[in-house]
Amino acid sequence: MSSISIWKDKAEETSFVPLRTDITVDVAIVGGGITGLTAAHILSKAGKKVAVLEAGKIGEGATGSSTGNLYCTIGSPGLHNLKSKFNEQKIKEVVQSRAAAVDFIETVITDLSIQCDFKRVPWTLFAESEAGKSFVEKERKAAEEAGLTVTRNFAIPINVETGFTVKRQAQFNPLEYVKALSKKIQSPNCSIYELTKVDDVTEGEPCTVSTAGGKVTASQVIMATHSPKGIYAVHMNMGPYREYAVGVTLNGNYPADGVWWDMLAQEHYSMRTYETSKGKILMVLGEIHKVGQKDNNHECYNNLERFLRERYDVKSVEFKWSAQQFKAADGIPYIGLSSGNSKTYIATGFSADGLTYGTLASMIISDQILGKENKWAKTYDASRITPLASAKDFIKENVNVAFEFVKDRFTKNEAGEFSEVAAGQGKVMEVDGKKCGVHRDSTGKLHVVSAVCTHMGCINHWNEVEQSWDCPCHGSRFSIDGEVLEGPAYTALKKVMV
Ligand SMILES: Cc1cc2nc3c(=O)[nH]c(=O)nc-3n(C[C@H](O)[C@H](O)[C@H](O)COP(=O)(O)OP(=O)(O)OC[C@H]3O[C@@H](n4cnc5c(N)ncnc54)[C@H](O)[C@@H]3O)c2cc1C
């Protein structure tokens, strides 16, 4: 089964032409996901001339592979953990600002008449057993302390040991939303380019944004690329993680409409339903691991499928896909001017809560560009230093990066000869004295690229499920022929002729 997200089933294609000339705008927006498109909408409506430059197709990054849930609570690290890192005031700010972002999305949908199956639904966090009980109880207390009213709604055919519900959260088709938004906002003030990969951003007065088809001159740049491209201090403060999704049809009862988070021992699995051309689908998302650090990642799909089969009468498996998230060391996204920059705005570290955070980021950054006060800007300040709140995760992530960087230079190659790489496999081996990633496709053809990530020099690892080369340090991912798929790297891997 190919790895295509459920949202593509309904979302209409977009067909914006690539950039083919030099242009001048007020704000260049790199990336056409929910963050980039929302910023383009706000800024162009306020009279700024903007250009959105999207390497692929609108919405087909993390936005189009998410679960499509909108809520004012958070998944990672959980409100109670955020409270212990900061204080009660911080979780109030997070919850209020996220609620404002969900309301903002609803207003955009109404104002622009966007069809994307938006509906208000309850959000429920529950545990089936002792394993997740303590997390859920702590989270309930923190939700109340943050000012939320919690109730109980367990209309799900699963044994619920403990849990709580927050009403009036929301769900939509995130891909339909951004694709429709892009079509509605295109105007002389808002130009949108697809298949337009940004190769470099040079900050200055003005800033220069380079693409193969033309140069964009702009007063300000927004890096709405999920993780900012190039080298930024925040890369040291974030961990890149991959997560998986399985969508099935059922013979029996489906859970009621809503966001359903089942807290297991280590993480929560997220469930929701959606009507597709293949019938009503129950999807489950979870099985998080660090990018490039799981050997048999088919296991992730298998675990999700087993979870569903143990609880439901599964008729057929219809969708499987995976996506990336970046976790901030102190648990709060980085939004605004990065340290050392005066014109380049970043929006990153959203964990798996970024449809709301991405929208909030565009609201904050747009205010900053328009010279307006934003009451949440300080909470998410991208140049903040929070040594106490960040320490544990900062050390954990950077020890892990250092370990991966050094380990791969000294460990044995995965193959000595090309013949040891079977069809469908990818292995790191030495070719002419250099570490290379060698993949054999289903026709038997070899694809050989440098194994060294072009971002900061770590050795990429083979991703069996997605047939890609993934960097275990900062989450850059490359195709079998070396093109950048996602993450902070700008440059493709060098192809090696054999
Ligand atoms: C499995 C999973 C489920 C999730 N579910 C939810 C959920 O239910 N609710 C929620 O709130 N959040 C969820 N998230 C998180 C959410 O999907 C993301 O945080 C959010 O979509 C990020 O949006 P974005 O616009 O910042 O990034 P993206 O949507 O990734 O957009 C970035 C765009 O930048 C483009 N780009 C990259 N490099 C370049 C370049 N060099 N030049 C031009 N363009 C470039 C990419 O092609 C991409 O389209 C989930 C995440 C995962 C992993």
Side-chain angles (χ1 to χ4, degrees), residues 30-31 33-35 53-55 61-63 66-69 71 196-198 224-226 229 243 285 323-324 350-356:
V30 188
I34 198 164
T35 308
L53 308 155
E54 166 54 49
T63 299
S66 65
T67 326
N69 291 328
Y71 41 87
T196 300
K197 179 174 154 301
V198 168
T225 47
H226 204 194
K229 302 302 263 191
E243 194 174 344
L285 289 92
Q324 196 135 313
F350 299 155
S351 295
D353 304 318
L355 297 173
T356 300

PDB file of all heavy atoms in Angstrom, residues 30-31 33-35 53-55 61-63 66-69 71 196-198 224-226 229 243 285 323-324 350-356, ligand 1:
ATOM      1  N   VAL A  30       8.547  31.354   2.795  1.00  0.00           N
ATOM      2  CA  VAL A  30       9.093  30.091   2.291  1.00  0.00           C
ATOM      3  C   VAL A  30       8.285  28.960   2.922  1.00  0.00           C
ATOM      4  O   VAL A  30       8.306  28.781   4.137  1.00  0.00           O
ATOM      5  CB  VAL A  30      10.590  29.949   2.653  1.00  0.00           C
ATOM      6  CG1 VAL A  30      11.188  28.729   1.948  1.00  0.00           C
ATOM      7  CG2 VAL A  30      11.362  31.209   2.303  1.00  0.00           C
ATOM      8  N   GLY A  31       7.553  28.204   2.102  1.00  0.00           N
ATOM      9  CA  GLY A  31       6.760  27.092   2.609  1.00  0.00           C
ATOM     10  C   GLY A  31       5.272  27.355   2.521  1.00  0.00           C
ATOM     11  O   GLY A  31       4.783  28.368   3.004  1.00  0.00           O
ATOM     12  N   GLY A  33       2.610  25.432   3.799  1.00  0.00           N
ATOM     13  CA  GLY A  33       1.770  24.638   4.708  1.00  0.00           C
ATOM     14  C   GLY A  33       0.819  25.583   5.425  1.00  0.00           C
ATOM     15  O   GLY A  33       0.620  26.733   5.000  1.00  0.00           O
ATOM     16  N   ILE A  34       0.247  25.125   6.523  1.00  0.00           N
ATOM     17  CA  ILE A  34      -0.735  25.959   7.230  1.00  0.00           C
ATOM     18  C   ILE A  34      -0.094  27.242   7.758  1.00  0.00           C
ATOM     19  O   ILE A  34      -0.730  28.304   7.745  1.00  0.00           O
ATOM     20  CB  ILE A  34      -1.438  25.153   8.366  1.00  0.00           C
ATOM     21  CG1 ILE A  34      -2.719  25.861   8.789  1.00  0.00           C
ATOM     22  CG2 ILE A  34      -0.512  24.912   9.560  1.00  0.00           C
ATOM     23  CD1 ILE A  34      -3.675  25.002   9.596  1.00  0.00           C
ATOM     24  N   THR A  35       1.173  27.176   8.157  1.00  0.00           N
ATOM     25  CA  THR A  35       1.841  28.368   8.694  1.00  0.00           C
ATOM     26  C   THR A  35       2.030  29.411   7.594  1.00  0.00           C
ATOM     27  O   THR A  35       1.661  30.577   7.751  1.00  0.00           O
ATOM     28  CB  THR A  35       3.214  27.974   9.295  1.00  0.00           C
ATOM     29  OG1 THR A  35       3.019  26.904  10.214  1.00  0.00           O
ATOM     30  CG2 THR A  35       3.873  29.137  10.001  1.00  0.00           C
ATOM     31  N   LEU A  53       6.491  30.721  -1.565  1.00  0.00           N
ATOM     32  CA  LEU A  53       7.344  29.868  -2.399  1.00  0.00           C
ATOM     33  C   LEU A  53       7.303  28.463  -1.824  1.00  0.00           C
ATOM     34  O   LEU A  53       7.786  28.219  -0.707  1.00  0.00           O
ATOM     35  CB  LEU A  53       8.778  30.411  -2.384  1.00  0.00           C
ATOM     36  CG  LEU A  53       8.848  31.906  -2.726  1.00  0.00           C
ATOM     37  CD1 LEU A  53      10.074  32.556  -2.140  1.00  0.00           C
ATOM     38  CD2 LEU A  53       8.773  32.115  -4.226  1.00  0.00           C
ATOM     39  N   GLU A  54       6.712  27.544  -2.541  1.00  0.00           N
ATOM     40  CA  GLU A  54       6.523  26.178  -2.039  1.00  0.00           C
ATOM     41  C   GLU A  54       7.323  25.203  -2.912  1.00  0.00           C
ATOM     42  O   GLU A  54       7.123  25.146  -4.126  1.00  0.00           O
ATOM     43  CB  GLU A  54       5.026  25.820  -2.029  1.00  0.00           C
ATOM     44  CG  GLU A  54       4.702  24.342  -1.854  1.00  0.00           C
ATOM     45  CD  GLU A  54       5.334  23.682  -0.635  1.00  0.00           C
ATOM     46  OE1 GLU A  54       5.224  24.236   0.477  1.00  0.00           O
ATOM     47  OE2 GLU A  54       5.962  22.607  -0.800  1.00  0.00           O
ATOM     48  N   ALA A  55       8.189  24.425  -2.254  1.00  0.00           N
ATOM     49  CA  ALA A  55       9.059  23.494  -2.994  1.00  0.00           C
ATOM     50  C   ALA A  55       8.256  22.420  -3.719  1.00  0.00           C
ATOM     51  O   ALA A  55       8.604  22.010  -4.832  1.00  0.00           O
ATOM     52  CB  ALA A  55      10.043  22.843  -2.033  1.00  0.00           C
ATOM     53  N   GLY A  61       3.132  18.981   2.878  1.00  0.00           N
ATOM     54  CA  GLY A  61       4.154  18.681   3.883  1.00  0.00           C
ATOM     55  C   GLY A  61       3.463  18.078   5.106  1.00  0.00           C
ATOM     56  O   GLY A  61       2.516  17.295   4.967  1.00  0.00           O
ATOM     57  N   ALA A  62       3.903  18.474   6.291  1.00  0.00           N
ATOM     58  CA  ALA A  62       3.324  17.911   7.525  1.00  0.00           C
ATOM     59  C   ALA A  62       1.831  18.216   7.638  1.00  0.00           C
ATOM     60  O   ALA A  62       1.055  17.389   8.124  1.00  0.00           O
ATOM     61  CB  ALA A  62       4.065  18.463   8.735  1.00  0.00           C
ATOM     62  N   THR A  63       1.417  19.392   7.154  1.00  0.00           N
ATOM     63  CA  THR A  63       0.006  19.778   7.276  1.00  0.00           C
ATOM     64  C   THR A  63      -0.914  18.718   6.661  1.00  0.00           C
ATOM     65  O   THR A  63      -1.885  18.296   7.282  1.00  0.00           O
ATOM     66  CB  THR A  63      -0.219  21.146   6.581  1.00  0.00           C
ATOM     67  OG1 THR A  63       0.591  22.115   7.254  1.00  0.00           O
ATOM     68  CG2 THR A  63      -1.672  21.572   6.620  1.00  0.00           C
ATOM     69  N   SER A  66      -1.178  15.296   8.747  1.00  0.00           N
ATOM     70  CA  SER A  66      -1.494  15.354  10.182  1.00  0.00           C
ATOM     71  C   SER A  66      -2.813  14.627  10.449  1.00  0.00           C
ATOM     72  O   SER A  66      -3.357  13.957   9.565  1.00  0.00           O
ATOM     73  CB  SER A  66      -1.616  16.814  10.607  1.00  0.00           C
ATOM     74  OG  SER A  66      -2.721  17.397   9.945  1.00  0.00           O
ATOM     75  N   THR A  67      -3.341  14.782  11.660  1.00  0.00           N
ATOM     76  CA  THR A  67      -4.605  14.124  12.020  1.00  0.00           C
ATOM     77  C   THR A  67      -5.801  15.049  11.812  1.00  0.00           C
ATOM     78  O   THR A  67      -6.948  14.612  11.923  1.00  0.00           O
ATOM     79  CB  THR A  67      -4.551  13.663  13.505  1.00  0.00           C
ATOM     80  OG1 THR A  67      -3.212  13.271  13.810  1.00  0.00           O
ATOM     81  CG2 THR A  67      -5.461  12.488  13.760  1.00  0.00           C
ATOM     82  N   GLY A  68      -5.514  16.341  11.580  1.00  0.00           N
ATOM     83  CA  GLY A  68      -6.605  17.285  11.337  1.00  0.00           C
ATOM     84  C   GLY A  68      -7.401  17.631  12.585  1.00  0.00           C
ATOM     85  O   GLY A  68      -8.580  17.981  12.488  1.00  0.00           O
ATOM     86  N   ASN A  69      -6.775  17.542  13.742  1.00  0.00           N
ATOM     87  CA  ASN A  69      -7.443  17.892  15.005  1.00  0.00           C
ATOM     88  C   ASN A  69      -7.004  19.278  15.468  1.00  0.00           C
ATOM     89  O   ASN A  69      -5.818  19.618  15.370  1.00  0.00           O
ATOM     90  CB  ASN A  69      -7.072  16.888  16.102  1.00  0.00           C
ATOM     91  CG  ASN A  69      -7.659  15.513  15.844  1.00  0.00           C
ATOM     92  OD1 ASN A  69      -8.743  15.397  15.274  1.00  0.00           O
ATOM     93  ND2 ASN A  69      -6.945  14.484  16.247  1.00  0.00           N
ATOM     94  N   TYR A  71      -7.226  21.791  18.854  1.00  0.00           N
ATOM     95  CA  TYR A  71      -7.569  21.767  20.287  1.00  0.00           C
ATOM     96  C   TYR A  71      -6.687  22.770  21.025  1.00  0.00           C
ATOM     97  O   TYR A  71      -5.572  23.082  20.575  1.00  0.00           O
ATOM     98  CB  TYR A  71      -7.366  20.343  20.860  1.00  0.00           C
ATOM     99  CG  TYR A  71      -6.107  19.708  20.327  1.00  0.00           C
ATOM    100  CD1 TYR A  71      -4.866  19.916  20.949  1.00  0.00           C
ATOM    101  CD2 TYR A  71      -6.131  18.956  19.154  1.00  0.00           C
ATOM    102  CE1 TYR A  71      -3.704  19.373  20.419  1.00  0.00           C
ATOM    103  CE2 TYR A  71      -4.973  18.415  18.618  1.00  0.00           C
ATOM    104  CZ  TYR A  71      -3.764  18.626  19.260  1.00  0.00           C
ATOM    105  OH  TYR A  71      -2.605  18.119  18.718  1.00  0.00           O
ATOM    106  N   THR A 196       8.655  25.354  -6.429  1.00  0.00           N
ATOM    107  CA  THR A 196       9.643  26.438  -6.367  1.00  0.00           C
ATOM    108  C   THR A 196      10.436  26.282  -5.074  1.00  0.00           C
ATOM    109  O   THR A 196      10.033  26.752  -4.014  1.00  0.00           O
ATOM    110  CB  THR A 196       8.923  27.802  -6.419  1.00  0.00           C
ATOM    111  OG1 THR A 196       8.189  27.864  -7.643  1.00  0.00           O
ATOM    112  CG2 THR A 196       9.899  28.956  -6.338  1.00  0.00           C
ATOM    113  N   LYS A 197      11.550  25.587  -5.196  1.00  0.00           N
ATOM    114  CA  LYS A 197      12.364  25.294  -4.010  1.00  0.00           C
ATOM    115  C   LYS A 197      13.311  26.453  -3.723  1.00  0.00           C
ATOM    116  O   LYS A 197      14.021  26.913  -4.624  1.00  0.00           O
ATOM    117  CB  LYS A 197      13.157  24.011  -4.275  1.00  0.00           C
ATOM    118  CG  LYS A 197      14.063  23.585  -3.152  1.00  0.00           C
ATOM    119  CD  LYS A 197      14.656  22.245  -3.494  1.00  0.00           C
ATOM    120  CE  LYS A 197      15.972  21.969  -2.852  1.00  0.00           C
ATOM    121  NZ  LYS A 197      17.061  22.850  -3.109  1.00  0.00           N
ATOM    122  N   VAL A 198      13.303  26.920  -2.511  1.00  0.00           N
ATOM    123  CA  VAL A 198      14.230  27.983  -2.114  1.00  0.00           C
ATOM    124  C   VAL A 198      15.580  27.346  -1.804  1.00  0.00           C
ATOM    125  O   VAL A 198      15.670  26.401  -1.020  1.00  0.00           O
ATOM    126  CB  VAL A 198      13.657  28.757  -0.904  1.00  0.00           C
ATOM    127  CG1 VAL A 198      14.711  29.656  -0.283  1.00  0.00           C
ATOM    128  CG2 VAL A 198      12.432  29.533  -1.334  1.00  0.00           C
ATOM    129  N   ALA A 224       8.578  29.403   6.823  1.00  0.00           N
ATOM    130  CA  ALA A 224       7.444  28.565   7.253  1.00  0.00           C
ATOM    131  C   ALA A 224       7.656  27.144   6.754  1.00  0.00           C
ATOM    132  O   ALA A 224       6.769  26.537   6.156  1.00  0.00           O
ATOM    133  CB  ALA A 224       6.149  29.161   6.723  1.00  0.00           C
ATOM    134  N   THR A 225       8.839  26.629   6.996  1.00  0.00           N
ATOM    135  CA  THR A 225       9.242  25.334   6.421  1.00  0.00           C
ATOM    136  C   THR A 225       9.207  24.196   7.448  1.00  0.00           C
ATOM    137  O   THR A 225       9.879  23.190   7.277  1.00  0.00           O
ATOM    138  CB  THR A 225      10.658  25.447   5.825  1.00  0.00           C
ATOM    139  OG1 THR A 225      11.500  26.101   6.779  1.00  0.00           O
ATOM    140  CG2 THR A 225      10.664  26.235   4.538  1.00  0.00           C
ATOM    141  N   HIS A 226       8.482  24.370   8.532  1.00  0.00           N
ATOM    142  CA  HIS A 226       8.341  23.372   9.597  1.00  0.00           C
ATOM    143  C   HIS A 226       9.601  23.365  10.473  1.00  0.00           C
ATOM    144  O   HIS A 226       9.512  23.579  11.657  1.00  0.00           O
ATOM    145  CB  HIS A 226       8.042  21.986   9.014  1.00  0.00           C
ATOM    146  CG  HIS A 226       7.341  21.079   9.992  1.00  0.00           C
ATOM    147  ND1 HIS A 226       7.230  19.730   9.810  1.00  0.00           N
ATOM    148  CD2 HIS A 226       6.733  21.337  11.176  1.00  0.00           C
ATOM    149  CE1 HIS A 226       6.575  19.191  10.827  1.00  0.00           C
ATOM    150  NE2 HIS A 226       6.254  20.152  11.671  1.00  0.00           N
ATOM    151  N   LYS A 229      15.164  26.273   7.289  1.00  0.00           N
ATOM    152  CA  LYS A 229      16.219  25.770   6.399  1.00  0.00           C
ATOM    153  C   LYS A 229      17.540  26.433   6.740  1.00  0.00           C
ATOM    154  O   LYS A 229      17.595  27.650   6.972  1.00  0.00           O
ATOM    155  CB  LYS A 229      15.899  26.105   4.938  1.00  0.00           C
ATOM    156  CG  LYS A 229      14.585  25.574   4.423  1.00  0.00           C
ATOM    157  CD  LYS A 229      14.448  24.110   4.529  1.00  0.00           C
ATOM    158  CE  LYS A 229      14.762  23.296   3.330  1.00  0.00           C
ATOM    159  NZ  LYS A 229      14.338  21.890   3.468  1.00  0.00           N
ATOM    160  N   GLU A 243       6.274   9.796  12.992  1.00  0.00           N
ATOM    161  CA  GLU A 243       5.071   9.197  13.563  1.00  0.00           C
ATOM    162  C   GLU A 243       4.254   8.586  12.432  1.00  0.00           C
ATOM    163  O   GLU A 243       4.347   9.037  11.291  1.00  0.00           O
ATOM    164  CB  GLU A 243       4.270  10.317  14.250  1.00  0.00           C
ATOM    165  CG  GLU A 243       3.191   9.807  15.149  1.00  0.00           C
ATOM    166  CD  GLU A 243       2.499  10.928  15.933  1.00  0.00           C
ATOM    167  OE1 GLU A 243       3.037  12.041  16.000  1.00  0.00           O
ATOM    168  OE2 GLU A 243       1.416  10.659  16.470  1.00  0.00           O
ATOM    169  N   LEU A 285      -3.118   7.280  15.026  1.00  0.00           N
ATOM    170  CA  LEU A 285      -1.766   7.798  14.778  1.00  0.00           C
ATOM    171  C   LEU A 285      -0.924   7.663  16.031  1.00  0.00           C
ATOM    172  O   LEU A 285      -1.413   7.881  17.143  1.00  0.00           O
ATOM    173  CB  LEU A 285      -1.817   9.273  14.348  1.00  0.00           C
ATOM    174  CG  LEU A 285      -2.386   9.478  12.946  1.00  0.00           C
ATOM    175  CD1 LEU A 285      -3.880   9.702  12.986  1.00  0.00           C
ATOM    176  CD2 LEU A 285      -1.699  10.627  12.235  1.00  0.00           C
ATOM    177  N   ALA A 323       4.582  10.880   9.070  1.00  0.00           N
ATOM    178  CA  ALA A 323       4.902  12.313   9.005  1.00  0.00           C
ATOM    179  C   ALA A 323       5.897  12.665  10.106  1.00  0.00           C
ATOM    180  O   ALA A 323       6.191  11.843  10.977  1.00  0.00           O
ATOM    181  CB  ALA A 323       3.630  13.139   9.159  1.00  0.00           C
ATOM    182  N   GLN A 324       6.369  13.885  10.033  1.00  0.00           N
ATOM    183  CA  GLN A 324       7.449  14.325  10.924  1.00  0.00           C
ATOM    184  C   GLN A 324       6.967  15.410  11.889  1.00  0.00           C
ATOM    185  O   GLN A 324       6.073  16.184  11.571  1.00  0.00           O
ATOM    186  CB  GLN A 324       8.571  14.896  10.060  1.00  0.00           C
ATOM    187  CG  GLN A 324       9.886  15.032  10.783  1.00  0.00           C
ATOM    188  CD  GLN A 324      11.025  14.523   9.934  1.00  0.00           C
ATOM    189  OE1 GLN A 324      10.926  13.436   9.360  1.00  0.00           O
ATOM    190  NE2 GLN A 324      12.113  15.258   9.872  1.00  0.00           N
ATOM    191  N   PHE A 350       6.729  22.644  16.913  1.00  0.00           N
ATOM    192  CA  PHE A 350       5.291  22.518  17.205  1.00  0.00           C
ATOM    193  C   PHE A 350       4.894  21.154  17.787  1.00  0.00           C
ATOM    194  O   PHE A 350       3.721  20.956  18.097  1.00  0.00           O
ATOM    195  CB  PHE A 350       4.471  22.706  15.916  1.00  0.00           C
ATOM    196  CG  PHE A 350       4.633  24.047  15.248  1.00  0.00           C
ATOM    197  CD1 PHE A 350       4.398  24.179  13.878  1.00  0.00           C
ATOM    198  CD2 PHE A 350       4.978  25.174  15.965  1.00  0.00           C
ATOM    199  CE1 PHE A 350       4.508  25.412  13.249  1.00  0.00           C
ATOM    200  CE2 PHE A 350       5.097  26.411  15.347  1.00  0.00           C
ATOM    201  CZ  PHE A 350       4.862  26.533  13.980  1.00  0.00           C
ATOM    202  N   SER A 351       5.797  20.184  17.873  1.00  0.00           N
ATOM    203  CA  SER A 351       5.436  18.788  18.187  1.00  0.00           C
ATOM    204  C   SER A 351       4.304  18.368  17.235  1.00  0.00           C
ATOM    205  O   SER A 351       4.310  18.800  16.089  1.00  0.00           O
ATOM    206  CB  SER A 351       5.016  18.625  19.647  1.00  0.00           C
ATOM    207  OG  SER A 351       6.118  18.899  20.468  1.00  0.00           O
ATOM    208  N   ALA A 352       3.356  17.567  17.723  1.00  0.00           N
ATOM    209  CA  ALA A 352       2.249  17.183  16.825  1.00  0.00           C
ATOM    210  C   ALA A 352       1.020  18.048  17.115  1.00  0.00           C
ATOM    211  O   ALA A 352      -0.122  17.595  17.014  1.00  0.00           O
ATOM    212  CB  ALA A 352       1.928  15.705  16.963  1.00  0.00           C
ATOM    213  N   ASP A 353       1.267  19.302  17.467  1.00  0.00           N
ATOM    214  CA  ASP A 353       0.177  20.235  17.796  1.00  0.00           C
ATOM    215  C   ASP A 353       0.196  21.446  16.869  1.00  0.00           C
ATOM    216  O   ASP A 353      -0.288  22.524  17.226  1.00  0.00           O
ATOM    217  CB  ASP A 353       0.333  20.710  19.255  1.00  0.00           C
ATOM    218  CG  ASP A 353       0.381  19.558  20.246  1.00  0.00           C
ATOM    219  OD1 ASP A 353      -0.419  18.618  20.081  1.00  0.00           O
ATOM    220  OD2 ASP A 353       1.210  19.590  21.175  1.00  0.00           O
ATOM    221  N   GLY A 354       0.789  21.286  15.671  1.00  0.00           N
ATOM    222  CA  GLY A 354       1.153  22.454  14.883  1.00  0.00           C
ATOM    223  C   GLY A 354       0.139  22.997  13.902  1.00  0.00           C
ATOM    224  O   GLY A 354       0.413  23.997  13.261  1.00  0.00           O
ATOM    225  N   LEU A 355      -1.042  22.350  13.771  1.00  0.00           N
ATOM    226  CA  LEU A 355      -2.058  23.006  12.943  1.00  0.00           C
ATOM    227  C   LEU A 355      -2.514  24.255  13.695  1.00  0.00           C
ATOM    228  O   LEU A 355      -2.682  25.327  13.115  1.00  0.00           O
ATOM    229  CB  LEU A 355      -3.233  22.059  12.691  1.00  0.00           C
ATOM    230  CG  LEU A 355      -2.889  20.779  11.904  1.00  0.00           C
ATOM    231  CD1 LEU A 355      -4.076  19.840  11.862  1.00  0.00           C
ATOM    232  CD2 LEU A 355      -2.416  21.116  10.497  1.00  0.00           C
ATOM    233  N   THR A 356      -2.667  24.092  14.999  1.00  0.00           N
ATOM    234  CA  THR A 356      -3.029  25.236  15.838  1.00  0.00           C
ATOM    235  C   THR A 356      -1.818  26.147  16.067  1.00  0.00           C
ATOM    236  O   THR A 356      -1.903  27.364  15.885  1.00  0.00           O
ATOM    237  CB  THR A 356      -3.602  24.720  17.177  1.00  0.00           C
ATOM    238  OG1 THR A 356      -4.741  23.928  16.874  1.00  0.00           O
ATOM    239  CG2 THR A 356      -4.013  25.853  18.078  1.00  0.00           C
TER     240      THR A 356
HETATM  241  C1  LIG B   1       1.571  12.185  12.576  1.00  0.00           C
HETATM  242  C2  LIG B   1       1.284  13.620  12.881  1.00  0.00           C
HETATM  243  C3  LIG B   1      -0.013  14.013  13.181  1.00  0.00           C
HETATM  244  C4  LIG B   1      -0.282  15.361  13.468  1.00  0.00           C
HETATM  245  N1  LIG B   1      -1.551  15.728  13.784  1.00  0.00           N
HETATM  246  C5  LIG B   1      -1.806  16.994  14.169  1.00  0.00           C
HETATM  247  C6  LIG B   1      -3.116  17.387  14.580  1.00  0.00           C
HETATM  248  O1  LIG B   1      -4.050  16.613  14.564  1.00  0.00           O
HETATM  249  N2  LIG B   1      -3.283  18.646  15.004  1.00  0.00           N
HETATM  250  C7  LIG B   1      -2.271  19.544  15.037  1.00  0.00           C
HETATM  251  O2  LIG B   1      -2.485  20.677  15.453  1.00  0.00           O
HETATM  252  N3  LIG B   1      -1.031  19.217  14.589  1.00  0.00           N
HETATM  253  C8  LIG B   1      -0.772  17.968  14.154  1.00  0.00           C
HETATM  254  N4  LIG B   1       0.471  17.623  13.736  1.00  0.00           N
HETATM  255  C9  LIG B   1       1.497  18.658  13.577  1.00  0.00           C
HETATM  256  C10 LIG B   1       1.233  19.465  12.298  1.00  0.00           C
HETATM  257  O3  LIG B   1       0.982  18.590  11.220  1.00  0.00           O
HETATM  258  C11 LIG B   1       2.432  20.342  11.927  1.00  0.00           C
HETATM  259  O4  LIG B   1       3.004  20.917  13.067  1.00  0.00           O
HETATM  260  C12 LIG B   1       1.995  21.455  10.991  1.00  0.00           C
HETATM  261  O5  LIG B   1       1.316  20.905   9.889  1.00  0.00           O
HETATM  262  C13 LIG B   1       3.182  22.274  10.530  1.00  0.00           C
HETATM  263  O6  LIG B   1       2.738  23.142   9.522  1.00  0.00           O
HETATM  264  P1  LIG B   1       3.799  23.998   8.722  1.00  0.00           P
HETATM  265  O7  LIG B   1       3.053  24.799   7.750  1.00  0.00           O
HETATM  266  O8  LIG B   1       4.645  24.733   9.703  1.00  0.00           O
HETATM  267  O9  LIG B   1       4.734  22.918   8.026  1.00  0.00           O
HETATM  268  P2  LIG B   1       4.429  22.057   6.702  1.00  0.00           P
HETATM  269  O10 LIG B   1       3.019  21.729   6.558  1.00  0.00           O
HETATM  270  O11 LIG B   1       5.413  20.939   6.717  1.00  0.00           O
HETATM  271  O12 LIG B   1       4.789  23.070   5.556  1.00  0.00           O
HETATM  272  C14 LIG B   1       6.117  23.415   5.271  1.00  0.00           C
HETATM  273  C15 LIG B   1       6.234  23.529   3.770  1.00  0.00           C
HETATM  274  O13 LIG B   1       7.526  24.055   3.467  1.00  0.00           O
HETATM  275  C16 LIG B   1       7.916  23.502   2.232  1.00  0.00           C
HETATM  276  N5  LIG B   1       9.361  23.644   2.086  1.00  0.00           N
HETATM  277  C17 LIG B   1      10.334  23.005   2.759  1.00  0.00           C
HETATM  278  N6  LIG B   1      11.541  23.379   2.299  1.00  0.00           N
HETATM  279  C18 LIG B   1      11.329  24.287   1.325  1.00  0.00           C
HETATM  280  C19 LIG B   1      12.185  25.030   0.468  1.00  0.00           C
HETATM  281  N7  LIG B   1      13.530  24.893   0.506  1.00  0.00           N
HETATM  282  N8  LIG B   1      11.625  25.877  -0.421  1.00  0.00           N
HETATM  283  C20 LIG B   1      10.278  26.026  -0.491  1.00  0.00           C
HETATM  284  N9  LIG B   1       9.423  25.329   0.284  1.00  0.00           N
HETATM  285  C21 LIG B   1       9.944  24.468   1.192  1.00  0.00           C
HETATM  286  C22 LIG B   1       7.464  22.050   2.336  1.00  0.00           C
HETATM  287  O14 LIG B   1       7.352  21.463   1.059  1.00  0.00           O
HETATM  288  C23 LIG B   1       6.145  22.175   3.068  1.00  0.00           C
HETATM  289  O15 LIG B   1       5.029  22.176   2.201  1.00  0.00           O
HETATM  290  C24 LIG B   1       0.769  16.302  13.440  1.00  0.00           C
HETATM  291  C25 LIG B   1       2.064  15.891  13.125  1.00  0.00           C
HETATM  292  C26 LIG B   1       2.326  14.566  12.865  1.00  0.00           C
HETATM  293  C27 LIG B   1       3.730  14.156  12.575  1.00  0.00           C
END
